[in-house]
Amino acid sequence: MSTLHDVGERDSWRCWLCDDPVDPDASVNADRGPSVDSGASSRGKAAASGAERLAHRACNTRKGKVAPVVAWSPDLLVVDPAPIVATVDRMRRKGGQEAVARCPSRADAEEAARWLLDRLSRFAPDLAVETQVTAGGGQYLLVLRER
Ligand SMILES: [Zn+2]
């Protein structure tokens, strides 16, 4: 069991679920205060990076026993975006590749690809993946695949 400080340092004081900064000096009783989320370990296969992650108290999945949710940025133009947590779980188990969103233009798809890789570099730093954008049916498909 790591201390809150260890987990915070490892996650650079950023919440693993909402991706916003966490103030290390905030009260641990405040909604936006720091807490250790062990939600990752209850999901069967613990991530290689460690099952304990830093989360805002309000974002922490431990008490509510809800599955963690990672939201796509509202700034992206994506259609039918795949649930990020479930996609990461499957790719950890099986590798391969998965279509994760459709976009109206190549620029939108490339922006979504950049955002997703950056997001995953913190959410699932152990996962070695790359993105691919393919045109088809007047849309652009964003694919995440094993590297
Ligand atoms: Zn948060």
Side-chain angles (χ1 to χ4, degrees):
M1 184 104 174
S2 313
T3 67
L4 176 61
H5 185 81
D6 292 341
V7 175
E9 289 291 311
R10 199 179 61 213
D11 278 347
S12 306
W13 296 102
R14 199 190 272 254
C15 176
W16 79 298
L17 291 172
C18 76
D19 209 33
D20 281 342
V22 178
D23 180 357
D25 299 321
S27 164
V28 294
N29 294 315
D31 279 355
R32 300 289 285 173
S35 70
V36 173
D37 190 352
S38 53
S41 65
S42 64
R43 299 179 58 73
K45 186 177 187 302
S49 55
E52 294 175 327
R53 303 296 304 267
L54 183 73
H56 294 112
R57 185 171 173 272
C59 295
N60 199 318
T61 58
R62 187 178 50 200
K63 292 193 179 69
K65 289 181 185 155
V66 292
V69 172
V70 171
W72 287 72
S73 167
D75 298 334
L76 298 170
L77 269 179
V78 289
V79 181
D80 294 339
I84 291 174
V85 176
T87 300
V88 165
D89 278 356
R90 273 195 304 276
M91 293 204 62
R92 277 204 183 108
R93 284 198 311 269
K94 300 191 303 189
Q97 62 177 41
E98 293 208 20
V100 290
R102 290 180 288 125
C103 300
S105 77
R106 179 174 290 279
D108 292 323
E110 283 169 357
E111 190 183 343
R114 271 193 301 277
W115 178 87
L116 184 61
L117 285 181
D118 176 64
R119 187 68 187 84
L120 292 180
S121 73
R122 291 180 298 279
F123 178 69
D126 59 306
L127 193 66
V129 286
E130 60 188 7
T131 52
Q132 185 180 33
V133 174
T134 55
Q139 286 186 319
Y140 293 84
L141 193 65
L142 173 56
V143 173
L144 194 63
R145 68 181 186 193
E146 204 175 6
R147 183 149 47 78

